[in-house]
Amino acid sequence: MSAHATSPRTHRFPRARVALAATACLLAVGAPTAYATLAEDAPAGSVVAPARGTPYIETRLLFGTERPDGGPAVTDDQFMTFVDREVTPGFPDGLTVQEGRGQWRDANGTIEKERSYELVLLYPVSSAPVSDRRIEEIRGDYREEFAQEAVARVDDRKRVDF
């Protein structure tokens, strides 16, 4: 062997070490973005997306259309009349209605599959107490008017810019 030649074993690494080293490099490079947050109170040194918009609450209400008593399903016209009468006056700045199909387990344990509506409301955090009361009235009114067991509610904090 010449002076410049090296043993074939000196440059070989076990596959496990190579894989471990590659994984460590990828984690080190990706770590700052893996923990990006939109939270206003993010810890110092964390990566934060630019704060755009105003703090809002997004509330989604899920309305079923089948009646547990076996009566006729809520029609599109009936639902939109309900929205115009019960929702729009409390949320005149806007809302979104989406049609869907859903299922849930009723009080008797039966899985009910039905046509449904998702109502999306956005409102400033500052108006949350008043909006909460209005939303609970909407849920109660729908349950009563259309003989429903429940109206699901999902709330989430968002930043909104129009």
Side-chain angles (χ1 to χ4, degrees):
M1 282 192 154
S2 72
H4 295 299
T6 57
S7 164
R9 301 187 84 141
T10 59
H11 288 300
R12 285 194 174 167
F13 294 101
R15 287 185 185 172
R17 276 192 186 168
V18 173
L20 183 60
T23 302
C25 288
L26 288 173
L27 288 175
V29 170
T33 56
Y35 297 103
T37 177
L38 292 175
E40 293 174 1
D41 57 348
S46 65
V47 176
V48 179
R52 294 202 190 337
T54 306
Y56 267 64
I57 303 290
E58 176 187 58
T59 296
R60 293 183 299 130
L61 299 177
L62 306 172
F63 299 89
T65 57
E66 297 298 318
R67 298 180 197 233
D69 62 6
V74 179
T75 66
D76 288 339
D77 287 340
Q78 288 172 317
F79 184 77
M80 291 314 296
T81 298
F82 176 83
V83 169
D84 291 344
R85 186 183 68 240
E86 302 294 335
V87 182
T88 300
F91 296 91
D93 292 336
L95 55 89
T96 300
V97 173
Q98 301 179 67
E99 293 184 42
R101 301 275 321 153
Q103 69 181 46
W104 79 300
R105 188 180 309 274
D106 69 13
N108 297 320
T110 304
I111 294 179
E112 300 289 340
K113 295 181 181 187
E114 61 188 326
R115 193 172 46 82
S116 60
Y117 296 97
E118 177 182 35
L119 174 68
V120 181
L121 302 168
L122 292 169
Y123 47 93
V125 169
S126 60
S127 71
V130 171
S131 296
D132 178 68
R133 283 191 296 279
R134 289 180 181 149
I135 291 166
E136 288 307 301
E137 288 173 8
I138 291 165
R139 294 174 73 203
D141 291 347
Y142 189 83
R143 284 191 303 260
E144 185 177 321
E145 184 170 338
F146 298 109
Q148 297 292 301
E149 286 183 26
V151 173
R153 177 178 177 169
V154 180
D155 294 302
D156 198 10
R157 292 180 69 98
K158 302 287 185 181
R159 292 194 70 84
V160 178
D161 187 23
F162 294 100

